[in-house]
Amino acid sequence: MKPTHLFLFFLSASLFAQHSFAQHEPLVDRLASSIESEIIELRHWFHQNAELSNREFKTAARIAEELTKLGLEPEIEVAHTGVVAVLEGGLPGPVVALRADIDGLPVNERCNIPWASRMMGTYNGDKVPVMHACGHDTHIAILLGVANVMTEIREQIPGTIKFIFQPAEEGAPAGEEGGAELMVKEGVLKDPDVDAIFGLHIASYIPVGQIAVRSGSIMAAADAFRIDIQGVQTHGSTPWSGVDPIVTAAQMINSMQTIVSRNMELTKAATVLTIGSIHGGIRSNIIPEKLYMLGTLRSLDNDMKELAKTRLREVVEAIAKVNGAEATLEFQGSYPITFNDPALFDQMFPTLEKTAGEENVFIIPSITGAEDFSFFQEQVPGLYFFLGGIAEGTKPEDSAPHHTPDFFVDDSSMLLGIKTMSNLTLDYMKSQHNE
Ligand SMILES: [Zn+2]
Ligand SMILES: [Zn+2]
């Protein structure tokens, strides 16, 4: 324990002795501020050592090392490269899980910063540069910061905290399992059984100091699919002697547009259907034998999602039939809706306002992006929010989007993340005690 921590520890002990748990905020503030520079240094290390999904070996080792320094006993190799640590508070109470995703992306960093990533990795067999182009380095550092603060006040915590450092949020490599789905499958929310889970995402389009959130569906379900069309190959000059999978595909793509525009009750929730990839043919004068397309379906309502999937299958089968072709539609993995439990949202919203300031918490429209935090929320009530990452003085329109080479989030964003996650944890535990 560092001298400053020792002092704060005694201060905390006396604070808790004198007051009820309601007064934890000033203590969280001071403890978080005292470790800010340490957390920024850690963030830089993780940024410089970015690794791809399910390959976060150095990252996981460093996380485990930092947790061990705090006196915790991390479990490693959870869902391949995940790290989980449990902190038992000094008082009985509920179990709160806090989640940080830890993977980088195959993006070549262009930011002119001394701690830019020069890492390389292998993605689908290719050598690629690796960068924390989604800001998961800040998520790791924030959660380590929370672990630091919480271990300082361990004796006063009325409950248990499970720190979940999750690999492969961006998706496991082809043919591999991973991410939150695999963690859930391996029982990460059991023993001790988690009562509620909190997670955040840094945002390069929100100013530092702000929080963006909503009740209910905050991010979409994502269903990836593949359509294979089988035709009959022939010379390009005599299409009547074959079955053209390209014309069939063109009709399918056009008909699919009516699923969203004609079948979805759009005033209820958004749905998006995108074909992002189409592969077929080789020469101008050959009608090919087959073709395949890849697409994604995004929905913010489960009933609408099921209807869109049914209609997609009907369109694919019917259009294939009228063209004399054969077609298969295969759904290839799905992320559920990232759904903020309305009761938990109502309960915890005051904590967000109290920590960030009422004027800094915004209710946002749903987002058609997806997030595998949703797998945890399918099991237990969860709350997921966005944390501002744009440096003061930078306009939102000048900041690069996530997943791009110029993506950047400011170090000053993390302090509010540490405070918010800490206060959510303590307020949640306190409210369970009062019930
Ligand atoms: Zn991300
Ligand atoms: Zn991302």
Side-chain angles (χ1 to χ4, degrees):
M1 194 182 279
K2 289 182 305 256
T4 49
H5 285 172
L6 199 62
F7 165 72
L8 287 165
F9 176 76
F10 286 123
L11 185 75
S12 68
S14 62
L15 256 176
F16 279 115
Q18 287 164 17
H19 304 288
S20 76
F21 216 66
Q23 268 76 41
H24 63 254
E25 293 84 3
L27 180 62
V28 165
D29 267 11
R30 265 172 296 191
L31 285 171
S33 298
S34 74
I35 55 164
E36 189 184 7
S37 57
E38 200 179 311
I39 292 307
I40 290 173
E41 268 175 55
L42 270 175
R43 186 254 168 141
H44 293 179
W45 189 91
F46 286 111
H47 191 91
Q48 261 183 315
N49 290 280
E51 293 172 295
L52 292 172
S53 308
N54 273 0
R55 303 289 182 272
E56 307 94 332
F57 303 115
K58 281 174 79 175
T59 306
R62 183 71 195 263
I63 292 167
E65 185 190 318
E66 294 300 321
L67 293 169
T68 307
K69 272 193 221 163
L70 296 173
L72 298 170
E73 292 169 9
E75 188 187 340
I76 56 164
E77 294 175 12
V78 183
H80 298 307
T81 41
V83 182
V84 178
V86 174
L87 172 68
E88 260 180 63
L91 302 164
V95 181
V96 171
L98 302 176
R99 175 271 208 168
D101 40 2
I102 67 170
D103 50 336
L105 285 159
V107 174
N108 194 4
E109 176 144 24
R110 221 156 38 192
C111 291
N112 187 19
I113 45 173
W115 38 280
S117 173
R118 298 283 170 261
M119 291 287 281
M120 295 296 289
T122 305
Y123 187 70
N124 287 341
D126 295 325
K127 269 252 171 261
V128 290
V130 185
M131 172 191 177
H132 268 297
C134 203
H136 299 180
D137 52 333
T138 64
H139 302 172
I140 305 170
I142 288 169
L143 197 51
L144 287 173
V146 177
N148 195 317
V149 169
M150 292 295 145
T151 47
E152 288 294 325
I153 58 169
R154 180 180 210 145
E155 293 310 316
Q156 290 82 25
I157 296 174
T160 297
I161 307 170
K162 205 175 246 191
F163 297 98
I164 300 177
F165 292 88
Q166 180 218 302
E169 191 284 322
E170 301 288 358
E176 291 180 32
E177 284 187 283
E181 188 174 19
L182 184 57
M183 283 196 130
V184 168
K185 215 160 127 184
E186 290 188 2
V188 78
L189 299 175
K190 304 270 167 220
D191 189 31
D193 293 4
V194 171
D195 294 297
I197 186 162
F198 299 109
L200 61 76
H201 207 302
I202 198 81
S204 75
Y205 48 87
I206 300 174
V208 164
Q210 294 185 0
I211 285 174
V213 69
R214 73 177 282 111
S215 182
S217 304
I218 184 165
M219 292 181 86
D223 290 85
F225 60 86
R226 173 178 168 131
I227 296 167
D228 280 274
I229 303 173
Q230 180 77 37
V232 176
Q233 187 159 334
T234 186
H235 198 286
S237 64
T238 58
W240 52 86
S241 59
V243 173
D244 187 346
I246 290 183
V247 168
T248 309
Q251 289 178 8
M252 265 181 206
I253 294 167
N254 277 334
S255 295
M256 273 175 216
Q257 304 312 309
T258 65
I259 296 175
V260 172
S261 72
R262 304 294 89 165
N263 303 135
M264 296 293 113
E265 194 178 334
L266 290 171
T267 52
K268 208 161 106 188
T271 308
V272 174
L273 184 62
T274 292
I275 297 292
S277 172
I278 173 163
H279 302 260
I282 191 154
R283 278 186 63 97
S284 63
N285 59 358
I286 301 174
I287 289 172
E289 187 176 30
K290 57 190 179 187
L291 173 151
Y292 75 92
M293 301 186 265
L294 304 174
T296 183
L297 171 68
R298 304 297 172 106
S299 359
L300 286 147
D301 176 275
N302 277 324
D303 292 337
M304 290 168 71
K305 175 175 112 169
E306 289 313 317
L307 177 60
K309 285 172 82 170
T310 306
R311 288 291 297 129
L312 185 59
R313 190 168 297 285
E314 286 169 356
V315 165
V316 166
E317 285 171 2
I319 301 287
K321 192 165 180 231
V322 296
N323 283 279
E326 274 172 31
T328 56
L329 164 68
E330 187 199 348
F331 284 97
Q332 299 179 311
S334 135
Y335 279 13
I337 294 170
T338 304
F339 186 81
N340 283 335
D341 182 85
L344 184 66
F345 177 88
D346 290 345
Q347 187 189 335
M348 304 318 302
F349 190 73
T351 301
L352 300 179
E353 289 196 316
K354 193 173 59 182
T355 311
E358 274 177 42
E359 67 287 5
N360 291 317
V361 183
F362 298 90
I363 306 287
I364 49 163
S366 311
I367 291 168
T368 46
E371 165 53 80
D372 75 353
F373 186 75
S374 50
F375 284 103
F376 299 123
Q377 288 172 313
E378 275 194 328
Q379 306 296 320
V380 295
L383 179 65
Y384 183 85
F385 60 95
F386 295 97
L387 178 71
I390 307 179
E392 231 185 81
T394 306
K395 291 188 201 130
E397 57 270 31
D398 291 339
S399 87
H402 289 238
H403 293 206
T404 65
D406 299 310
F407 171 80
F408 177 78
V409 288
D410 200 67
D411 287 333
S412 63
S413 58
M414 293 187 289
L415 186 59
L416 179 60
I418 299 171
K419 290 180 188 176
T420 308
M421 289 293 246
S422 302
N423 287 336
L424 283 171
T425 305
L426 296 173
D427 280 344
Y428 177 81
M429 287 175 174
K430 195 181 70 186
S431 71
Q432 302 301 301
H433 273 258
N434 290 343
E435 269 168 12

